[in-house]
Structures are given as structure tokens and as C-alpha cells.
Amino acid sequence: MKARNIKIMLMVVVLVVGLVSSVMAVEPKYGGVLTVADDKIQPSLDPQHNMGFGGFELYLAFNTLINYNENLEFVPELAISWEIPNNTTYIFHLREGVTFHDGTEFDAEAVKWNMERMLSEYSQVSSYFKEVNKVEIVDKYTVKFTLKEPYAPFLDSLASNGYMVSPTAVKEMGDEGFQKHPVGTGPFAFVKLDKQNGKLIFEKNKNYWNEGKPYLDKIVLIEIPEDQTRLFALQTGQANFLMGVPASSVKHLKKSSKYNVVSVLSKSNTIDYLTFNCNKEPFNDQDVRLAIAYALDNQKIINFLDQTEAIPGPLPEGSWGHNPALKDVSYDPEKAKELLAQAGYPNGFDVTLKIWSNDPQRSNLAVVVKDMLFKVGIKVNIEVLEASALIQQMTKGEFEFVSLHWGGGGSLDPNGNLHVLFNSKGQLSWIANYNNEEVDEYLEAALKTTDRAKRQELYWNAEKIIVQEHPMIWFGRFVSYLAHDPKVHGIEPLRPSGYFPIYENVWIGN
Amino acid sequence: MRRYVLKRILQLIPTLLGVTIITFFLIRLTPGDPATAILGLEATPEKIAYINKIYGLDKPMPIQYLIWMGKVCHFDLGTSIAYSEQILGILLNKIPVSFQLAVVSMLISLGISIPTGIISAVKKDTIFDNMGRLFAFLGISIPGFWLGILLLYVFAVKLHVLPLFGYVSLFDNFSEGLKHLLLPSITLGMVLAATVTRMTRSCMLEVLYENYITTARAKGLKERVVIMKHALRNAMIPVLTVVGLQMGYILGGSVLIEVVFALPGLGRLVVDSIFQRDYPVVQAAVLFYALIFVLINLLVDLLYSFLDPRISYE
């Protein structure tokens, strides 16, 4: 054969072998143990009663009726299809043949029981379902929910907070027992909780309804409170997955090819902000708030603080309500001074900025803000408080200017980002004490229709007004990271909420 | 003597009462409360009211105190708000950890500090003295958690000879337990040793210039006997006081060490509980601390009379 032909043949062979092996390399492998090091194991493993916002260990054993995919569309999980005949009626057709880890059958009765538990006093997720009026068992695998009033975020509530627990398990163990021994339908079944030694073990659910998943044999969570020791655990191989990489170590880990560092929160619904108390002088004056927006150079803040990224306003890119065309004011200290003079503060004023103590990023932020505001004549006094003291003061309205974050209120619906923060009748209106009737109207209207495009328009209208009136300054978002051994695959994409991987997709290779 | 001990034990009661009353009211006067601590930013008035109701926090403070006191007299320390578990059980799990850490650390500390202090005093102003004083100076200046992390890095990460975190009881498996306790005890022991070394040194120096020491030497006693039998016993009294206080502190748990080495001890429990405003746990833990402190003080007082027969409690 001619040399040239042989060369071509060889190239083709190499190409084919390369393609085949690369496809093979991407094939997930079964088996292996994911050892996660985190700073704390949640005190309660009951997703319906979890004392504040939980770690991933709350969700490993459970599923919801529906879930979000990467594009934030609703996809089937424990329900295979659903109808919304009118805007207060939702009918779900359940997946057949699903059992809880203790063998109990999952059916319409279990769903009804779960909804009743979620609405009970014991539950900490009742506010997400408060519009539910009736739950009816149509037949063994069909459930009908009737709402008191149209409430568009109902589907989001089911996807983000409607975890189905085993009624048999709760009846046998009691609520408190269940907090230490969760039983659900999820990809991983609870094995053991060793509270004393900080170890939590889950194993593969062999009867998981999603065939072929999960890949891992076991997930073990070890509790190591000290940042540095946790990092050592990753470095010595005692853990192959690390939650909460200490901020100071991120750069160092990123440079090392021995670990993969993944940004958590980067695509999430979480925002950080500086909030005003719109009930207190001088922040009841919109121009004063606008002046501060002009006085702060957001770009500079982001560049100066490590691990901070830009966000446009209350609806970040992680939310389907995000408006890519939204613009806030840019840095203009002269304009700021002008506005302050117009508002009656030609020589500025004194203000106290409160932050909570456990957060070095916030301390740095406070110092930068103090410096920038000083240049327009505003003297900032930074007050560092413990989290519970700060929250107590805020509920009593004893604050002027605070640095906080918001994780979407446990929901991926823009309702969680806007309604809860800015509606004058909203739950947590002690955060900004903001009051605008037009905004209220848009937000209420957005609850009444399930048409996403229409809701988006309403939210955009509300957001525009909110951003113009600046009850808060959206300077950016603090990002945090997790790190893992490169042998661990399937970590990305993270769950739509941003915080952690979809564990049933994680596998360990070479 | 027996009557003295009995009297001291009876004095426990008003002391503990005073301590519990002060703790009870102090923690409730601190800003923040269990409900907001647990719920954080998601606290709504209904959720807060619910938590207050199930934990009896909506009752007036003196009533809450009496209810709690009544339970304590039946050895019921109540339920933790954050962990929904019986507090007595939680304490019984954590106390042995802090105890074992404390005892091993104290042994290491005394093993280093007393000989160093004696040598430093006897060989005053020589190189031994200077090294001893440098050691004490470093021990007081170096932060415990920094030393702990450094030791972990060297021995657990680089050399892989000792475990990185966790606890095994010495009674369950002595060698494994010791391996887990070694680095934390050395860290804590160093910190403790610094103070005791200085104390020993200065007390010995005082005693060594007393007349009776000169007399003892004049009598022709061997130097070793003079130092170890005559000087040391008299020098030890203030040292015993310091060691007693240290023991009282560390038996209650050393939170920084426990955090760095991930030991499930009492220190971590109490600090976490304070941040979470877990009132019943803080009250129970402080009660325990007070009890330990009073008992250690009693023990130290009794040991005084053993060291110095002139001190008696008849």
C-alpha cells in the first residue's frame, strides 16, 4: 500500500479509537462512596421541620411531586403528569409502583397525609401551602388540590418544599424520632446517624423508581467544624467532597489541579444587598436612598472584595423572572452630593450600618461602603452584631442600614424574591419596610395567573419600580464554593437552587 | 475533717442556686431568643410564637425558673431546643470526651512544666533557665488553635501518623483513643504548661532563699533531698491553686481545641448553645461547670493540708 494511504488509515483508526474511548470515559460508573465534609450536620433530618435552611442531607432521602430542570421548567418526579383545569384546581397523576424506603406504598393517600402534615402547626413549610383549601383522593393514583384563591407559586411550593415523607414511619417513630431517622422515596436511604461523632450515613436505594440511578453506593457526611481541618480532610483523601471551602483557600485550591472547585450560588437565586429602613429618617426620602446608590461604585466593590459577583437587582440570573435589560444607576458621586443637598442634607448625615459578626466578607464590605459614603459626606458607624441580636432588632424596627442576604425565601419563584421582601402585606416586611401600592398591585396580579410570560411581565414592572425607588442597594452577591476530588463526576450542573449537586447523578470514576 | 468536708458540700447548694439564677436571667436578658436564633431570616410571628409555646418560653421568667428548678431536682435537665434531645443524655455523651482530653492534657502539662520550672529555678540564669523561660513565653503567646492546626498539618496531613479528627474513648480502645487525643492534648498541654512553668519557677525561687533551706543544706542533706523534699512541697501550694483552677476550666471543655480537632466535647456544645440561644442546654451546662468548680476547689483545699500539715481543718 502507498505510505499515504497507510497514514490515512492510521489516522482514522486513532480517531475512531479516540472517539470510542472518550465516549466510554464519559459513561458513569456504578459504586463508590462519596464522603462529604461539612461544618455541621443538620439537627433535624425532617424536611418538613428543619429549623432554618438546611444542608443537602435533608433532601437525599426524599422526592417531590414535581421538580425543576435546568431551564427552570417543571418536570415530573413523583407525579407523571398534571392538569390545571382552572386557576384554583390542580390535579396530579402519580407515578405507580413507587415505595418508600420502609416498603410503604406511595399513593394519593400518602400525598394527602403529607399535605396535611405540611399544613400543621408542627410544619415549618406551612406558609408555602397556606392557600391549599382541600386535598381530595380522586383514585389511588390521582390527587386533586383545591386552593382558596389563585396562587401561581403553588407549583413552585410543591417543587421546592413539598417533600413526601413516609406516613408509616412518622406514625411509628413520632415526629421527634422521624427527625433522626428520615424515610422517603428518594435515591438514598438513611442508614445511621452518629450524632456524637458527627457522622451521617446514607446508602443507595436499591428500589429507586428512577431506574439506573443513583450511581453511588453510599454517601457519608462527616462533621468537621473547623475550616482548616475540613480542608485537610480533602487533602488527605479522607473526604472527596468539601462543602464550604474557606474563603481564604479558594484561590489556592483553584490553582491546584488536584481538586475541582465549583462555585455555589453563582447561578442561584441568592442575592446580597444593603437594605434601608424605609420607615426611618432619612431613608424615608427616596432621593436620599438614590443618592446612596449613586455614591456606591458597585464595580469597584466587586473588584475589591474577593468572590463577589455582580447582580442587576432583586431578580438575579438564576431566576426565570430575571430581566436582562434592567439597569440601575451608575457611580456618580457628584450627583449623589447634589441629591443630598436637595433633600436637605448638604453636609451629609450620620448613619449606623449593622452587619452580623460571623462574616468576614461583610466586614470588608462595610469598610468599603463606609469609605465611599464618607466621600459624599455621610459618616457611617459600623456596628457588628450577633445574628440573633440583629434579627431581633430588625423585627422591632431598630435599624437604619443593614447588610443582609436573601436566598429566595426557599423558593425558585420570583414571588419569593419580590413579594416576600417588597409587598407591604408580605411576610417579612420588616426587612425594608417598603411600601408602594403600585408594586403591591403588580405582585398580587402575578399571583393570580399561571401564565409564566404574563407573570414575568408583571414582575418586570414591579422590579422596575422597586429598583428606581431603591429600598435596597444591590451591589452584588457573595459567592461560596465547594471542592471535590476530580474522580467525582456529575457534580455539575448544580440543582437549580444553586446550592448543591443532584446527588442521584453523581458518580465516582478514575 | 469529715465535718469540714460535709459543711463544704452543703455550701454547694446556695452556690449552685446563685449560679443558676444568674445564668437563667442573664441569658434571657441577652438580645436574641431561641426562636429567632433557629429560624433566622425566615422568622415570622407565627413560627416564633409556635416555638415559644412548645418550650414554655411564653411564661413569665420566674415561673420558668421554678419549673426548670423543679425538674432539675428530679434529675430532669430538660430537652434541647436545637436538638430535640434529652439534655442529660447529651451531657453524658460529651462529658467523658472533655474529661479525657482534660486529664491527658493536664498530665502532659504537669509532666513538662513542673520539671522545667524546678530546673529553671535551681539553675537560675543559666541556659536551662533561659530555655525554660522561652518555652513559657511561647506557650503563653502562641494561640492554641494555631498550634493545633500546625500540629495537624505536620502529623496528620504531611506525615500521616496521627488521625486528623474525631474521638475514640480511651476505655473503648486505648491505643486508638490515645492516637486521637495525642495532638489535642499536646496542644492544650503546652498552653497550660506555660503558666504552670512560670508559677513553679517563681515559687521555687522564693522558697529556695528561705532560711530553712539554708539550714537543711547546712545539715548536710543531699541537694536533691533539699529541693525535692523540702523546697518543692512548700512551693507547690500556689502552684496547686493554679493547677486546680486550670483543671476546673478544662473539665468544662476547651472549645477552641474541640473545634480544631472535631472532638465532640462540652466546650463546643456550650458555645454552640449560646449562639443558638438554646437556654436549657446553657443552664444545664453552667450548672455542671459550677458543680465541677466547687468540687475541684474543695479537693484543692484538702490537698493543701496534705502538702502542709500546718494547715488543718479540725
Side-chain angles (χ1 to χ4, degrees):
Chain A
M1 264 196 191
K2 276 206 185 148
R4 195 159 151 257
N5 286 348
I6 296 178
K7 251 202 223 162
I8 294 177
M9 260 175 62
L10 271 172
M11 268 170 57
V12 169
V13 168
V14 167
L15 207 65
V16 169
V17 170
L19 271 173
V20 169
S21 62
S22 70
V23 165
M24 276 170 62
V26 169
E27 251 329 282
K29 288 207 172 75
Y30 284 91
V33 178
L34 187 73
T35 310
V36 184
D38 201 350
D39 71 332
K40 190 176 152 140
I41 295 182
Q42 292 301 309
S44 157
L45 296 173
D46 181 350
Q48 295 171 359
H49 182 93
N50 64 342
M51 309 295 228
F53 280 137
F56 73 95
E57 61 266 30
L58 276 175
Y59 311 115
L60 288 177
F62 300 102
N63 294 120
T64 46
L65 289 181
I66 54 178
N67 207 345
Y68 282 107
N69 67 6
E70 273 158 62
N71 300 321
L72 289 183
E73 292 156 350
F74 290 117
V75 295
E77 196 156 283
L78 287 177
I80 44 179
S81 65
W82 54 97
E83 291 116 43
I84 310 177
N86 60 58
N87 57 12
T88 52
T89 311
Y90 293 77
I91 302 179
F92 289 90
H93 301 279
L94 304 178
R95 192 178 295 272
E96 300 187 22
V98 178
T99 52
F100 290 97
H101 302 143
D102 60 2
T104 314
E105 237 193 300
F106 170 73
D107 56 16
E109 225 185 295
V111 174
K112 179 168 170 168
W113 184 93
N114 265 282
M115 182 53 75
E116 285 166 358
R117 187 171 192 251
M118 293 194 282
L119 289 171
S120 70
E121 243 188 1
Y122 166 79
S123 153
Q124 284 173 329
V125 298
S126 50
S127 53
Y128 299 109
F129 300 105
K130 60 182 180 337
E131 292 300 332
V132 172
N133 194 8
K134 246 188 338 185
V135 184
E136 285 165 74
I137 300 175
V138 174
D139 62 51
K140 186 156 195 227
Y141 294 108
T142 314
V143 191
K144 181 158 126 185
F145 293 99
T146 317
L147 305 182
K148 296 176 195 151
E149 284 206 25
Y151 185 68
F154 179 60
L155 285 179
D156 169 80
S157 296
L158 286 174
S160 300
N161 292 289
Y163 291 95
M164 296 285 141
V165 313
S166 161
T168 323
V170 173
K171 287 181 197 140
E172 271 172 21
M173 297 189 253
D175 286 330
E176 260 149 40
F178 189 77
Q179 287 173 16
K180 311 254 176 303
H181 190 133
V183 179
T185 58
F188 294 96
F190 171 83
V191 175
K192 187 166 134 180
L193 167 63
D194 182 353
K195 194 92 192 69
Q196 173 70 353
N197 291 310
K199 209 165 172 195
L200 175 57
I201 304 178
F202 284 87
E203 70 181 4
K204 175 175 180 155
N205 174 7
K206 299 196 180 71
N207 297 321
Y208 190 44
W209 53 265
N210 193 357
E211 288 202 25
K213 304 261 179 79
Y215 302 110
L216 296 167
D217 279 338
K218 264 211 254 187
I219 297 187
V220 177
L221 170 57
I222 8 179
E223 181 179 83
I224 302 181
E226 169 63 42
D227 286 349
Q228 199 57 49
T229 315
R230 239 175 15 252
L231 198 54
F232 288 158
L234 181 68
Q235 290 175 330
T236 55
Q238 286 176 60
N240 47 19
F241 191 90
L242 178 63
M243 293 291 228
V245 178
S248 46
S249 311
V250 175
K251 282 207 190 98
H252 171 72
L253 279 186
K254 273 188 174 169
K255 280 198 225 127
S256 160
S257 58
K258 285 207 296 186
Y259 316 104
N260 289 6
V261 180
V262 177
S263 161
V264 169
L265 299 183
S266 212
K267 298 184 188 68
S268 74
N269 215 13
T270 307
I271 56 172
D272 280 286
Y273 53 87
L274 292 161
T275 186
F276 300 107
N277 183 350
C278 301
N279 277 344
K280 264 210 171 155
E281 275 197 28
F283 299 119
N284 50 353
D285 185 345
Q286 192 180 322
D287 285 335
V288 172
R289 306 197 298 259
L290 185 57
I292 294 190
Y294 275 116
L296 292 177
D297 186 350
N298 287 353
Q299 198 49 55
K300 229 181 176 170
I301 293 180
I302 291 169
N303 294 342
F304 178 72
L305 298 176
D306 278 334
Q307 292 148 50
T308 311
E309 52 182 37
I311 54 168
L315 291 172
E317 290 104 74
S319 169
W320 57 257
H322 171 65
N323 184 350
L326 183 71
K327 276 213 162 14
D328 200 350
V329 299
S330 38
Y331 178 53
D332 193 339
E334 290 311 315
K335 185 100 206 247
K337 283 194 235 174
E338 221 182 276
L339 281 166
L340 284 174
Q342 267 175 31
Y345 299 98
N347 298 319
F349 52 86
D350 290 351
V351 68
T352 303
L353 168 61
K354 298 190 198 224
I355 59 176
W356 58 42
S357 47
N358 305 352
D359 205 326
Q361 282 172 317
R362 253 168 254 284
S363 309
N364 292 340
L365 171 71
V367 171
V368 174
V369 165
K370 177 174 176 149
D371 185 67
M372 289 181 178
L373 290 184
F374 184 72
K375 298 200 171 80
V376 301
I378 300 177
K379 284 169 223 57
V380 175
N381 169 37
I382 300 174
E383 196 180 318
V384 180
L385 288 170
E386 219 193 309
S388 27
L390 176 59
I391 291 174
Q392 208 187 43
Q393 281 183 9
M394 289 187 74
T395 50
K396 296 199 193 131
E398 290 163 9
F399 68 101
E400 299 172 295
F401 195 28
V402 185
S403 160
L404 287 176
H405 72 269
W406 184 253
S411 116
L412 286 175
D413 191 294
N415 178 57
N417 288 44
L418 291 185
H419 192 111
V420 179
L421 292 180
F422 301 114
N423 185 317
S424 57
K425 287 176 246 81
Q427 273 183 354
L428 291 169
S429 53
W430 50 258
I431 286 190
N433 289 319
Y434 175 66
N435 207 316
N436 181 314
E437 269 179 37
E438 212 185 329
V439 166
D440 282 358
E441 269 171 37
Y442 284 126
L443 295 177
E444 298 286 333
L447 290 180
K448 308 289 180 206
T449 163
T450 50
D451 181 327
R452 210 176 251 198
K454 263 187 147 165
R455 295 182 69 208
Q456 193 181 62
E457 205 190 306
L458 290 164
Y459 284 128
W460 283 8
N461 290 339
E463 197 189 11
K464 205 158 126 207
I465 303 177
I466 293 170
V467 171
Q468 269 168 12
E469 301 200 339
H470 289 104
M472 299 180 176
I473 307 275
W474 299 276
F475 65 89
R477 156 169 63 203
F478 296 128
V479 181
S480 60
Y481 293 88
L482 56 84
H484 64 91
D485 187 312
K487 294 201 198 92
V488 179
H489 300 262
I491 299 288
E492 289 179 272
L494 298 179
R495 268 168 62 117
S497 61
Y499 287 90
F500 23 84
I502 302 170
Y503 284 95
E504 65 183 59
N505 293 340
V506 174
W507 55 280
I508 299 186
N510 294 324
Chain B
M1 179 68 111
R2 218 171 288 172
R3 273 187 42 199
Y4 175 74
V5 174
L6 202 61
K7 205 174 76 169
R8 287 288 296 264
I9 292 187
L10 283 177
Q11 280 175 353
L12 254 180
I13 299 176
T15 312
L16 291 181
L17 268 178
V19 166
T20 54
I21 292 179
I22 294 177
T23 315
F24 192 91
F25 289 100
L26 207 59
I27 193 167
R28 278 167 177 70
L29 291 173
T30 318
D33 63 273
T36 35
I38 290 167
L39 299 167
L41 278 178
E42 315 293 324
T44 62
E46 303 95 52
K47 287 187 194 168
I48 294 179
Y50 175 69
I51 292 194
N52 284 343
K53 193 175 81 174
I54 42 177
Y55 290 101
L57 297 167
D58 45 355
K59 302 196 174 73
M61 278 206 238
I63 306 277
Q64 289 185 41
Y65 178 75
L66 290 172
I67 294 178
W68 181 74
M69 224 18 193
K71 285 199 190 145
V72 168
C73 295
H74 290 103
F75 295 110
D76 174 9
L77 293 172
T79 314
S80 157
I81 296 178
Y83 300 105
S84 303
E85 270 175 40
Q86 293 292 357
I87 296 178
L88 186 58
I90 299 177
L91 286 183
L92 288 176
N93 276 334
K94 311 254 178 212
I95 290 172
V97 181
S98 294
F99 258 54
Q100 290 188 16
L101 175 64
V103 169
V104 179
S105 305
M106 189 50 86
L107 287 174
I108 293 180
S109 165
L110 294 176
I112 298 175
S113 58
I114 308 257
T116 311
I118 295 175
I119 295 175
S120 232
V122 168
K123 302 239 186 263
K124 182 171 183 293
D125 294 329
T126 63
I127 180 130
F128 295 107
D129 182 20
N130 291 333
M131 276 172 51
R133 288 167 75 185
L134 179 65
F135 164 76
F137 174 71
L138 286 176
I140 289 182
S141 326
I142 292 180
F145 67 86
W146 183 86
L147 180 61
I149 291 179
L150 189 66
L151 288 177
L152 269 181
Y153 184 67
V154 171
F155 291 98
V157 180
K158 283 294 168 195
L159 297 178
H160 283 284
V161 293
L162 288 171
L164 185 63
F165 56 86
Y167 166 80
V168 171
S169 168
L170 292 171
F171 297 108
D172 288 339
N173 181 336
F174 189 77
S175 63
E176 269 306 302
L178 196 59
K179 274 201 235 165
H180 282 269
L181 276 180
L182 199 59
L183 290 179
S185 308
I186 291 177
T187 311
L188 186 54
M190 294 289 207
V191 173
L192 297 172
T195 314
V196 181
T197 310
R198 287 173 69 124
M199 202 70 204
T200 307
R201 178 182 180 276
S202 53
C203 291
M204 281 296 284
L205 282 177
E206 255 185 58
V207 167
L208 284 173
Y209 290 100
E210 292 283 338
N211 287 333
Y212 60 85
I213 297 294
T214 325
T215 313
R217 287 203 186 107
K219 270 165 70 175
L221 288 176
K222 276 201 241 179
E223 190 63 14
R224 239 189 72 204
V225 176
V226 172
I227 294 173
M228 298 304 280
K229 187 164 166 207
H230 294 282
L232 190 61
R233 271 180 81 166
N234 288 304
M236 278 296 107
I237 294 182
V239 176
L240 181 60
T241 312
V242 169
V243 169
L245 282 174
Q246 287 184 336
M247 201 61 188
Y249 278 127
I250 62 180
L251 280 174
S254 325
V255 59
L256 289 175
I257 306 286
E258 287 169 20
V259 166
V260 169
F261 294 94
L263 299 172
L266 212 48
R268 255 172 76 189
L269 176 72
V270 178
V271 171
D272 284 345
S273 300
I274 292 176
F275 280 123
Q276 291 170 319
R277 303 289 190 280
D278 198 342
Y279 295 159
V281 176
V282 177
Q283 285 155 217
V286 172
L287 180 60
F288 174 73
Y289 282 4
L291 187 63
I292 292 282
F293 240 93
V294 173
L295 289 175
I296 296 252
N297 269 327
L298 176 58
L299 195 63
V300 165
D301 285 344
L302 293 176
L303 279 174
Y304 283 156
S305 76
F306 170 72
L307 277 181
D308 184 349
R310 293 174 298 168
I311 302 173
S312 89
Y313 300 105
E314 301 309 334

